[in-house]
Amino acid sequence: MTKSTYTISQLREAYLSKQFSAKQYLQQKLAAVKSDSNNCWISTISEQQLADYLEGLAQQDIADLPLYGVPFAIKDNIDLDQLQTTAGCKEYSYQPSDSAFVVKQLIAAGAVPLGKTNLDQFATGLVGTRSPWGAVKNSFDPSMISGGSSSGSAVSVALGQVCFSLGTDTAGSGRVPAALNNILGLKATKGLLSCSGVVPACKSLDCVTLFAHTSDDLNVLLDVAGQYDEEDCYARPNQASNQAQHYQPLQELTSLKIGVPKVSDLAFFDNPETEKLFKQSLKQLERLGAELVELDFEPFLAAAKLLYEGPWVAERYAAIQDFFEKDPSQCLPVIQTIIGGATKHKAVDAFKAFYQLQAYKVVCDQLVNQVDAIVTPTAGSTYSIAQLQEDPIQLNSNMGYYTNFMNLLDYSAVAVPAGFYQSQQGNTHSFGITLFSDAYCDRKILSMAALIQQDNGFSLGASKQALPALQTPASIEDDYMELAVCG
Amino acid sequence: MTKSTYTISQLREAYLSKQFSAKQYLQQKLAAVKSDSNNCWISTISEQQLADYLEGLAQQDIADLPLYGVPFAIKDNIDLDQLQTTAGCKEYSYQPSDSAFVVKQLIAAGAVPLGKTNLDQFATGLVGTRSPWGAVKNSFDPSMISGGSSSGSAVSVALGQVCFSLGTDTAGSGRVPAALNNILGLKATKGLLSCSGVVPACKSLDCVTLFAHTSDDLNVLLDVAGQYDEEDCYARPNQASNQAQHYQPLQELTSLKIGVPKVSDLAFFDNPETEKLFKQSLKQLERLGAELVELDFEPFLAAAKLLYEGPWVAERYAAIQDFFEKDPSQCLPVIQTIIGGATKHKAVDAFKAFYQLQAYKVVCDQLVNQVDAIVTPTAGSTYSIAQLQEDPIQLNSNMGYYTNFMNLLDYSAVAVPAGFYQSQQGNTHSFGITLFSDAYCDRKILSMAALIQQDNGFSLGASKQALPALQTPASIEDDYMELAVCG
């Protein structure tokens, strides 16, 4: 009776046309979640807790709630008051007294959280293998990594267990797993989504992120979740040029300049398939009317290196200092190695790294401002879970090649599906690209993503469900004008 | 024939009306500088170098140069290609290959640098006693401190040796010596005046600052010196609401709210005279029409404490690391103690301090945005050079009570003369207030400072020369509107 996968707007239509009730759908989804075999979930709500949500919804009108009865997943470093927060570490777990600010916004709009999802421990990783709850299996090929650290959140969307999910993104965690599971991941401008009630990774860089099937859905979610939170000292109010009405799916890219890293700065880690797919994406952008502009990508890559090689790892230490100092061995060995290395950094070195970053930022901003957006692969390649476990540091590092600089440089980014290839074993692997631009350009890059997704017409996540038509009426008038003012 | 002290506009008038020539005036001033007895100068240009400047000016039209033939002083941590830069430490000295960006702007506008001024070593101090070139003597009472670290720059203006000068300000160095010498000091928004060619103190916080006799002069100087410098990665372009035309000296403060620290947050360090003068200033502001709003000043004071007690001292270490590590004893003992303490700070502690600062900033910004400006004493008291030398750390710290938070919180500030009192020995001491507001409010606070200064009508610096009338025509229309948009 129900399809395997719904976008938010499709589910809403189904409820409104009484194809099935929220109760029917959510009970079915909670059952699916509880029998998940991809290691997506760390904990799920009880049937009684679901009943309480349903009772709440029964007293409300769907017309008033943009996310009425929409199931979602919460990465388990974000608080939900009904469940423990583990951050991927049993010994660290705590019972939150309240839900995270962002979670409260979504629930108030009618969304129903089905549980907490698996992640790379303390959100430290881009692979999805670094968890005592087991490696999260890719939604297309269970032998492959899911990407991380928001692994369970991405895979649960790709599998249609939920319509959307919350992740976090410090180094790429809200984008890499989107690419590997054929869904979209929005790492909005730092500070737009509150981090109150989130276990910090690098508190000065962390973003809460959104996974969904379409840019339409991301636009709605950004609107609901992106309320300014006075209690989060890193929160920033949105700018007028980046409000929901500036989401205007494009019908062509004519008159837009899209930056592309020069060939020698691209890395596909010996994967000819991803290289081919990226070239196809560039051709697609040209076919849609964009002018491609080759850019020196070195300054972005240099900034990226600072994140793990520089002092920012000390933020990860600061985030769990009391816990870590009591008994570092309660962390997974790889996490212990990474976070434990933080104490060697002195404040002097930290400031010197800030100066370096600031110098890179000036150069990168000039490049970013030359174009309407920059396109890169989201991840240059991917690996099997077995490969990852053999070489956990270097392969993880490869996954962040195109993502690590984004928060350091304060940009907005969206990961968009960009094709598939067959592995030698005949399994399907998905590939994705990222569009990024200056801070407060979220609606601009979402408007481009909408066109790219429609042009691709891929089915949703790991399902065979067809991509629906855009909900928001496209506007060709003033596209360029609207786009030019952001940032 | 010439007066002891000229504002920039008065000097310009004198040149235009041919009362005397630039050559006559500048030769006289260079001679005065060379026979200075206040320890203001570390080095001065030669007669030949002055002749070269004069030759350059002779080929230009005064109408084209807003600072034609105006002598100025340069704090000796700012490069002038003709003289060594010492930063107050002989062993550190170097011969710069070029002048600082800001210096070049001023010279291009016709200003003539007479030399480099004495400072607290490596700009680390607020007192003016921490220099191998001797303690800079206060322009009113040579037994008293001048304030620092831009000591010579402030005193040389107060004594009429130059019409204006360049200082730097990390913790208050561009404001405290203004207060103690009855001149104005503008610490403009961070990044408006380039720091290229400046020896850093705390590179992420440093500002180049301007000392002058009137707000009119500061407005002109900010315009000339405040050009955006692409080579300084901490430079920021000015905002439209803070351009020169927004300098509109007020005729009253009606409809303006001015914040005042609540009485228990004020500190005068047992000086009843400064306390009395500050109360008079508040009455003056009310008489001029302002509504005074008592504010909780604790969050500002808490942020201020972070500067010396927190990790930012590591920036001072980073600034001279190679030099310092080779032989710390080449620094003055007090500087060695302060800067040497930096290595104990870890990166983890630095990030934790940033989080604290960010939390304070949210609270402070809310307070700042409730009012048009906040007024404080610039320094709560002052000391004799002898007192300072007995207790160099604590008394220095007292001098920064109202200034240390300003750059950490990213505000604009102007120090304005606010009265005099007689010491027990019968000597005159000057007192000053500071007006501060959000970043990019420089013209707004200068517009207020202009009225306060006119209302006071004090003579210029340490001279008996009367304050001239305002040059810029006052505009009462739209004052409030203009003022409300900044920040």
Side-chain angles (χ1 to χ4, degrees), chain B residues 1-6 11 14-15 19-36 41 44-47 50-51 54 69-72 112 114 156 159-163 465:
Chain B
M1 185 179 61
T2 60
K3 295 189 284 189
S4 70
T5 302
Y6 286 89
L11 182 62
Y15 288 159
Q19 288 173 41
F20 47 80
S21 69
K23 182 174 175 180
Q24 285 171 313
Y25 185 71
L26 290 169
Q27 284 177 341
Q28 183 189 318
K29 284 294 148 184
L30 184 59
V33 158
K34 286 185 188 287
S35 63
D36 160 69
W41 299 84
T44 55
I45 61 167
S46 66
E47 275 80 5
L50 177 58
L54 290 168
V70 178
F72 74 107
V112 177
L114 298 188
S156 64
L159 294 174
Q161 295 171 348
V162 289
C163 293
Q465 302 295 326

Side-chain angles (χ1 to χ4, degrees), chain A residues 201-204 228 230 232-235 311-319 321-322 342-352 354-355 358-360 362 366, chain B residues 201-204 228 230 232-235 311-319 321-322 342-352 354-355 358-360 362 366:
Chain A
C202 298
K203 193 177 162 73
S204 72
Y228 178 68
E230 284 194 352
D232 174 8
C233 69
Y234 282 100
W312 280 269
V313 69
E315 295 204 77
R316 297 184 189 265
Y317 190 94
Q321 184 165 2
D322 292 346
T343 51
K344 72 168 188 276
H345 293 283
K346 298 208 152 203
V348 175
D349 306 316
F351 281 106
K352 288 166 128 184
F354 300 156
Y355 306 156
Q358 185 63 26
Y360 291 140
V362 170
Q366 282 168 354
Chain B
C202 298
K203 194 176 162 74
S204 72
Y228 177 68
E230 283 194 353
D232 174 8
C233 68
Y234 283 100
W312 280 270
V313 70
E315 296 204 77
R316 297 184 189 266
Y317 190 94
Q321 185 165 3
D322 292 346
T343 52
K344 72 168 189 276
H345 293 282
K346 298 206 154 207
V348 175
D349 306 317
F351 281 106
K352 288 165 128 184
F354 300 156
Y355 306 155
Q358 185 63 27
Y360 292 140
V362 170
Q366 281 168 353

Side-chain angles (χ1 to χ4, degrees), chain A residues 309-330:
Chain A
E309 294 176 13
W312 280 269
V313 69
E315 295 204 77
R316 297 184 189 265
Y317 190 94
I320 57 164
Q321 184 165 2
D322 292 346
F323 172 78
F324 191 84
E325 287 177 354
K326 219 174 280 168
D327 182 2
S329 75
Q330 295 191 319

